[in-house]
Amino acid sequence: MAGALAWFRRDLRLDDNAALGRALARSTRVFCAFVFDSEILGALESRADRRVDFIWRSVGELRERLQEAGGDLIVLHGRARDEVPHLAAALGVDEVVAAEDYEPAALARDAEVAERLRASGIGFTAVKDTVVFAKSELLTQGGRPFTVFTPYKNAWLKLVGEAELAQRLAESDLKRLARPPVATRLPELRELGFEPTDLAASGIRPGERGARETLDDFLGRIDGYHAQRDFPALDATSGLAIHNRFGTVSIRRLVRTARSRRTTGTDFWLAELIWRDFFFQVLHHHPRVTQEAFRAEFARIEWPNDEDLFAAWREGRTGYPLVDAALRQLNATGNLHNRLRMVVASFLTKDLLVDWRWGERYFAATLNDFDLAANNGNWQWAASTGCDAQPYFRIFNPVAQSQKFDAQGEYLRRWLPALANVPMKSIHAPWRMSPAEQAACGCVIGHDYPAPVVDHAVQRERALALYKRARP
Ligand SMILES: Cc1cc2nc3c(=O)[nH]c(=O)nc-3n(C[C@H](O)[C@H](O)[C@H](O)COP(=O)(O)OP(=O)(O)OC[C@H]3O[C@@H](n4cnc5c(N)ncnc54)[C@H](O)[C@@H]3O)c2cc1C
């Protein structure tokens, strides 16, 4: 073979990298490249985007590691669909290898790249790396895609074995890395049109090294995961989602780690990794979910979509403390605990009666770990429009959720300074305080902290009517 080009995308690591492993196994001269894709970057709303900062830092680390191993990372800035075919032709390789993507826009880009490469006599291979089981590897006994999680999980656990979890890259093959004829530099973040962010203050450590440290820290508390994961005031979950998003950690390594311990904590955590695979296969089999409800009957819901209520939700001023604290944390840091994502998604759709796609879009713009498959799948779960979703008549009570999952109001006080002196008995529903109590604790409702924008009991009935009306 004349050589191969390993095109890094959402697999920004050396460890267990399937695309690089494949290129090194098949070719004696392997170049590596990453493209800051102007089509993706141009669509981002903020110039201070932590995701771009994360990628930029991770690419920098990857480049250093490849250089230490005797290769290099060619870093380009432009339209990937142009840059990759040009680069492959200029390097004279006969194959481009990349990690398989499952998002419709990425698939369209890859199809175009493959076509243009083919016209120059160059092959394009996309290999599975992001998930354990992809596409149709796991089907029901009737040969159909799973739409219910528990049987999917059982089948997943039955099938997973050494073959699926094997290392995809032999370190000894790294000697086949080649240095490009012309070295490229890593553009500054500002040259890409972005500003440095408060990534570190958000508790995020980028790169493969950051992923390893994050995982190591989590292993110290993983055995308590099942008992503690639902409490936002605790630091009980892994914080690895952004690393899963950009492939700074190998999903196979995570699964191997979880399986090697077999405690209740690791079993619960493994189930979350399986949810991740589940939503990837939903997206693969039903790409229409990016536009519409998975369940056809709920595509007919006539959402009132009140713009003012949506703005109150976005800005964390609904008057419901748990919802407001969550949105304020999201806006300030880009991080949000899973329990809170469920609570605010339920509140937006079933209390404020706003289309789940509005919330999905807002999360896509703000979450550090935004991932199309997981975000869409979970929004459809919360809105009861998805496969195996929360039944539409199970509507979270935002006050009860607050009492249950932040009983001491620790999380609420962290994000809502106006509630700092509100007595414990009132912190979850401060509007229930008498005027005298409000004055005494310095939290006058409507002045220091908003009055509830809706009445949960009333909205609950309206939501039920809305869903019932949509059903045949
Ligand atoms: C409305 C809503 C939107 C969401 N949007 C996203 C998103 O854009 N990106 C995203 O990665 N997760 C999303 N999630 C799922 C979940 O909230 C996050 O994965 C989790 O909070 C990340 O924190 P962690 O890394 O500490 O997770 P942990 O609890 O440590 O879980 C381990 C890993 O499993 C995966 N995972 C965990 N829960 C889920 C889940 N429910 N669905 C799919 N994968 C899961 C993640 O990769 C995570 O890193 C969403 C959930 C909801 C309810």
Side-chain angles (χ1 to χ4, degrees):
M1 272 200 167
L5 174 63
W7 174 20
F8 287 78
R9 294 108 65 95
R10 52 175 301 174
D11 55 339
L12 301 177
R13 65 178 194 283
L14 275 194
D15 176 50
D16 193 21
N17 184 305
L20 181 61
R22 167 73 74 98
L24 290 167
R26 297 224 303 222
S27 183
T28 50
R29 213 168 60 104
V30 175
F31 301 99
C32 301
F34 178 83
V35 184
F36 282 100
D37 194 332
S38 51
E39 288 187 304
I40 299 174
L41 298 184
L44 296 174
E45 287 166 25
S46 166
R47 295 298 95 191
D49 192 306
R50 291 186 201 88
R51 284 95 46 111
V52 180
D53 199 1
F54 181 94
I55 295 171
W56 181 75
R57 289 170 195 275
S58 302
V59 165
E61 186 193 320
L62 177 64
R63 186 163 174 266
E64 278 171 23
R65 290 211 57 197
L66 283 165
Q67 288 170 345
E68 282 160 17
D72 203 348
L73 184 68
I74 303 166
V75 182
L76 301 169
H77 180 206
R79 280 165 35 111
R81 61 184 89 220
D82 299 328
E83 299 291 339
V84 172
H86 285 157
L87 177 66
L91 292 170
V93 297
D94 46 22
E95 188 184 25
V96 173
V97 188
E100 188 170 72
D101 208 311
Y102 307 96
E103 298 185 5
L107 288 168
R109 176 204 59 205
D110 286 356
E112 188 180 330
V113 168
E115 185 52 44
R116 291 171 70 170
L117 289 169
R118 194 163 30 247
S120 311
I122 304 170
F124 178 74
T125 308
V127 297
K128 181 179 69 168
D129 182 73
T130 305
V131 290
V132 176
F133 293 114
K135 299 179 179 177
S136 298
E137 283 185 302
L138 261 193
L139 295 172
T140 63
Q141 287 194 342
R144 301 182 61 78
F146 281 96
T147 53
V148 183
F149 177 68
T150 302
Y152 175 82
K153 181 180 128 187
N154 293 338
W156 193 104
L157 287 168
K158 209 162 147 190
L159 248 184
V160 77
E162 296 314 310
E164 288 76 29
L165 302 178
Q167 276 275 348
R168 298 293 201 266
L169 185 148
E171 290 277 327
S172 56
D173 285 346
L174 289 176
K175 61 182 180 307
R176 296 173 172 190
L177 287 171
R179 286 200 193 274
V182 181
T184 58
R185 50 185 277 281
L186 176 67
E188 292 298 326
L189 204 48
R190 290 192 201 283
E191 293 173 61
L192 300 170
F194 288 83
E195 296 160 17
T197 67
D198 61 349
L199 204 56
S202 292
I204 295 170
R205 291 170 277 190
E208 196 169 351
R209 201 177 304 125
R212 205 171 324 115
E213 289 167 7
T214 306
L215 175 61
D216 286 348
D217 285 354
F218 176 59
L219 292 180
R221 52 185 197 275
I222 192 170
D223 294 337
Y225 180 78
H226 59 296
Q228 300 191 319
R229 69 188 177 131
D230 260 323
F231 301 96
L234 302 178
D235 181 22
T237 69
S238 70
L240 281 165
I242 190 168
H243 293 287
N244 280 333
R245 169 66 186 94
F246 297 113
T248 35
V249 70
S250 151
I251 188 66
R252 292 173 294 280
R253 177 173 289 282
L254 296 186
V255 173
R256 282 197 303 269
T257 304
R259 278 168 39 105
S260 68
R261 294 171 77 112
R262 300 313 308 262
T263 63
T264 311
T266 56
D267 283 354
F268 271 68
W269 193 63
L270 182 58
E272 298 305 327
L273 300 179
I274 302 173
W275 268 111
R276 181 174 172 274
D277 261 21
F278 178 72
F279 286 132
F280 269 106
Q281 61 93 41
V282 170
L283 179 61
H284 167 74
H285 289 289
H286 313 278
R288 65 181 178 83
V289 294
T290 59
Q291 311 295 326
E292 59 186 53
F294 178 88
R295 296 178 59 175
E297 70 268 33
F298 292 139
R300 284 192 292 270
I301 294 177
E302 290 166 6
W303 301 100
N305 288 339
D306 183 317
E307 298 268 1
D308 292 339
L309 291 178
F310 183 50
W313 180 84
R314 275 194 329 258
E315 292 160 19
R317 46 178 183 80
T318 66
Y320 284 86
L322 194 61
V323 175
D324 293 345
L327 265 301
R328 290 187 199 191
Q329 182 193 7
L330 175 63
N331 292 336
T333 67
N335 294 330
L336 195 60
H337 190 278
N338 180 60
R339 170 59 46 183
L340 300 175
R341 297 186 203 203
M342 294 197 293
V343 169
V344 302
S346 174
F347 192 81
L348 182 71
T349 50
K350 293 171 181 170
D351 282 80
L352 302 183
L353 311 181
V354 171
D355 192 326
W356 57 272
R357 284 165 288 211
W358 292 29
E360 183 197 14
R361 266 200 303 277
Y362 191 68
F363 269 27
T366 49
L367 275 179
N368 294 329
D369 61 27
F370 163 62
D371 184 281
L372 178 62
N375 197 43
N376 179 272
N378 280 286
W379 268 98
Q380 294 232 33
W381 180 89
S384 306
T385 59
C387 57
D388 201 11
Q390 169 96 315
Y392 77 91
F393 47 82
R394 281 197 52 205
I395 297 181
F396 281 169
N397 178 324
V399 175
Q401 289 285 312
S402 189
Q403 288 162 337
K404 186 165 178 193
F405 296 111
D406 190 36
Q408 304 303 313
E410 201 182 324
Y411 176 78
L412 297 183
R413 286 183 220 277
R414 202 179 293 165
W415 290 102
L416 299 172
L419 304 187
N421 299 316
V422 171
M424 189 70 82
K425 72 175 175 49
S426 304
I427 193 140
H428 306 286
W431 64 90
R432 290 184 188 148
M433 287 189 289
S434 69
E437 286 172 320
Q438 294 179 23
C441 69
C443 179
V444 175
I445 299 303
H447 181 264
D448 301 304
Y449 183 69
V453 289
V454 291
D455 178 331
H456 171 69
V458 172
Q459 296 303 100
R460 183 176 184 282
E461 295 308 315
R462 287 189 65 200
L464 290 174
L466 208 61
Y467 278 82
K468 276 188 198 144
R469 237 192 343 267
R471 300 177 82 204

